[in-house]
Amino acid sequence: MSSIVISGDTSGAVTLAAPAVAGTTTITMPATTGTMVVLPTTPSMVRLNTDAGFGSTNTAIRRFANTVTNTGSDITYADSATLGASFTINTAGIYAITFSMGFSSSSNIGLSLNSTQLTTAIHSITISDQLVNAVTPSASWSTCVSWTGYLPAASVIRPHTSVSVTAGTTNGLPTFTIVRVA
C-alpha cells in the first residue's frame, strides 16, 4: 500500500493512503479528519438477455433466460418461475439501470421500486413505485428505459411491463443491466 503526502507551505501535510482492498480509508489533515469511500476496481453488475416470459404469480414481472454477467456483492439477482426477476440492493449507492425489449404488440415497459403491485401493468401501479415507464407503440418497435440514481440498501428493483405481453421475435432481444456506479 502506498501513500501520497502533500506538504503545505506554512502548515502540516495531507496524507492520502489507499486501502489494500475496496472499502474506506482515512484522510488525515492538520485540522480535520474525514473518510473517503473507495469503490472496488470491478463494480457490482448484473447483465441479462433473452426472454423467459413472466413470473406465473407476478404476471407483470419479466424473466430472463441468459445471465451474461453477475459480479460483485452490491446487488443480489434472483429469478423465479413464479415471482419473475428481482434485484435487491445490498449496498446503498448510485446505480445505473437499463431495460430494453421489443414486443409482439403495443406494451408498456419500465422499472419498479419496492412495488407490491406485481400483477398490474407498470403504467397503472402507484406512481411512487415507478422509477421509469415508457410505451412501445406497435409490434415493429423496440423500447429502452433507463434510470440512474441513489438506491438505499434493501431496495428491490424489477423489470415491470404490461401483463403477459409476448416478446417480439424480430424487434429487439430483451436485455437488462444494473451496475453500481458510486
Side-chain angles (χ1 to χ4, degrees):
M1 177 166 72
S2 62
S3 298
I4 298 172
V5 178
I6 303 169
S7 298
D9 290 338
T10 58
S11 60
V14 175
T15 302
L16 300 174
V21 296
T24 60
T25 190
T26 300
I27 302 171
T28 305
M29 294 182 263
T32 185
T33 297
T35 300
M36 175 176 68
V37 174
V38 179
L39 292 175
T41 55
T42 303
S44 291
M45 180 172 77
V46 178
R47 185 172 157 231
L48 312 168
N49 65 31
T50 310
D51 185 54
F54 290 88
S56 60
T57 299
N58 295 348
T59 56
I61 306 303
R62 297 304 304 189
R63 297 184 62 219
F64 298 88
N66 185 38
T67 301
V68 178
T69 304
N70 189 350
T71 186
S73 60
D74 298 322
I75 307 159
T76 298
Y77 164 56
D79 179 72
S80 165
T82 55
L83 304 178
S86 65
F87 305 84
T88 302
I89 302 304
N90 300 320
T91 307
I94 306 295
Y95 289 81
I97 310 166
T98 303
F99 173 33
S100 67
M101 68 182 300
F103 294 93
S104 61
S105 62
S106 178
S107 182
N108 286 74
I109 180 174
L111 301 167
S112 63
L113 169 65
N114 300 328
S115 182
T116 58
Q117 298 170 291
L118 308 176
T119 60
T120 303
I122 182 71
H123 64 281
S124 297
I125 69 171
T126 305
I127 193 72
S128 61
D129 291 352
Q130 294 180 35
L131 289 180
V132 65
N133 171 31
V135 66
T136 300
S138 71
S140 62
W141 292 58
S142 181
T143 300
C144 178
V145 293
S146 65
W147 181 88
T148 301
Y150 176 80
L151 292 171
S155 296
V156 178
I157 304 299
R158 291 184 179 89
H160 208 129
T161 67
S162 295
V163 179
S164 300
V165 175
T166 305
T169 56
T170 61
N171 53 351
L173 178 69
T175 64
F176 188 98
T177 301
I178 181 171
V179 62
R180 181 174 178 211
V181 293

